[in-house]
Amino acid sequence: MNRSVNTRKRMWRWAVALMLGGAVAPALAEIQGAGATFPSKVYERWAQTFQKSHAIGVRYRPTGSGDGVRQITDRAVQFGGTDSPLPPAELAKRQLVQIPMLVGGVVPVVNLPGIENGRLRLDGELLADLMAGRVAKWNDARIAALNRGLTLPALPVRRVVRAEKSGTTEGFARYLSQVSAPFKSEVGVSQLPAWPGEVMRADGNDGVSKSVKATPGAIGYVSFDRVVQDGLAGVRLRNAAGEYVVASEEGFRAAVVESDVNQKGDDLASILDRPGVRAWPITLASFVLVDAAPAKAGDTSSALRFLYWCFVHGDALTRGTGFAPLPTTVQSKLASRFASVKAGDGKPMDYVGM
């Protein structure tokens, strides 16, 4: 993070502090969060670092985006994680505030003998046909045409998908629907699609990773950090510029730069299949949801302090995790997003004092 960004963030903290009033509510013994598995390893890293300098613990359970939305709607946790952002009308209905936290990539991964990370080339249409069950064997002529010189096995294609409602799945299906009209009509966009034919189902990113590693001929989809962490073979995917690229933090940043997330500061804008020679096609932002008008100020105040601390320190803490920080055009809006959470007396919550 450069000096100007640090200075800007200090000014935001000072400005927000001027707006705050009222007594600080007592802190929770432990902040509870649940939801998206996509960024869960980063949230764990943030929580561990936060706990070293604060007298409060943070526990985040990676249960899937659908469950994260459900739990924060039921006020069963202090914050919910989701990779599928809720539209403004839905946020108002549920009385929630939505805050983008980071950017990452969904990566198709395979288990094919002798084929290492970044060796197998696929384009979007062929990937969509594979995931829709329209390609039976890995030595199919269409795959061979994109991978001349690569020995492809005559193994059956075994698809591994998420068993629970998943924002990662929704983002993956949205990309496939953008690049393939047949996939859009036959499968469509959903957190829990009705995948055609026989598929293997697994819980969370970690479950998909384990199933792919254990199944010769498997293809699945996980967050990029799992590719690195678990030694998976990610595909080299053709992007909108016609380049075959491997997933990387640089590729996620390139996708954001070419989107309205960066150019207009719109955190709900799509960053899928953006132009740019380095851009990774399946790039997603991940969000947290908090109670907009908490009945118990202490519950939400502690969670906001943790999340705001993550925002302030996020660039350094995110680097090297397999994810990318938000562009400053989005970061500059977040102080007002945090300040929009109001206690029962209508006053903003105190979250900058830790």
Side-chain angles (χ1 to χ4, degrees), residues 229-309:
Q229 168 190 293
D230 298 338
L232 299 172
V235 308
R236 184 178 290 269
L237 192 58
R238 188 177 188 271
N239 66 16
E243 300 291 333
Y244 285 89
V245 294
V246 294
S248 67
E249 293 179 25
E250 180 186 15
F252 310 150
R253 288 191 293 269
V256 174
V257 166
E258 296 293 340
S259 74
D260 283 347
V261 173
N262 177 60
Q263 295 169 7
K264 297 182 180 180
D266 178 5
D267 54 82
L268 295 181
S270 174
I271 45 181
L272 293 171
D273 207 27
R274 304 309 305 163
V277 294
R278 295 184 179 87
W280 178 248
I282 321 176
T283 300
L284 303 175
S286 198
F287 302 77
V288 293
L289 299 162
V290 295
D291 191 345
K296 295 182 179 180
D299 289 4
T300 300
S301 180
S302 294
L304 285 176
R305 290 182 181 189
F306 165 64
L307 296 170
Y308 191 75
W309 179 90

Side-chain angles (χ1 to χ4, degrees), residues 102-261:
L102 46 73
V103 174
V106 180
V107 185
V109 291
V110 298
N111 180 349
L112 300 175
I115 296 181
E116 300 174 346
N117 183 43
R119 292 293 308 282
L120 184 72
R121 290 187 173 205
L122 294 176
D123 58 31
E125 291 184 359
L126 182 50
L127 175 61
D129 284 349
L130 281 161
M131 292 307 302
R134 287 193 291 272
V135 180
K137 295 287 186 69
W138 279 107
N139 60 350
D140 184 273
R142 292 175 62 196
I143 303 175
L146 293 180
N147 293 276
R148 300 189 185 282
L150 199 62
T151 301
L152 296 167
L155 287 170
V157 176
R158 302 290 304 279
R159 292 169 292 155
V160 181
V161 302
R162 292 281 286 273
E164 80 285 10
K165 286 186 176 181
S166 160
T168 303
T169 298
E170 182 174 336
F172 186 52
R174 190 175 300 279
Y175 165 74
L176 297 177
S177 293
Q178 282 186 201
V179 297
S180 168
F183 185 95
K184 182 177 181 180
S185 63
E186 294 173 19
V187 184
V189 180
S190 169
Q191 289 193 348
L192 192 61
W195 298 99
E198 182 181 350
V199 296
M200 300 173 62
R201 300 184 185 275
D203 291 323
N205 272 279
D206 292 330
V208 171
S209 175
K210 290 176 183 176
S211 293
V212 169
K213 290 189 76 171
T215 309
I219 181 171
Y221 53 95
V222 296
S223 57
F224 173 64
D225 61 321
R226 267 59 166 204
V227 177
V228 177
Q229 168 190 293
D230 298 338
L232 299 172
V235 308
R236 184 178 290 269
L237 192 58
R238 188 177 188 271
N239 66 16
E243 300 291 333
Y244 285 89
V245 294
V246 294
S248 67
E249 293 179 25
E250 180 186 15
F252 310 150
R253 288 191 293 269
V256 174
V257 166
E258 296 293 340
S259 74
D260 283 347
V261 173

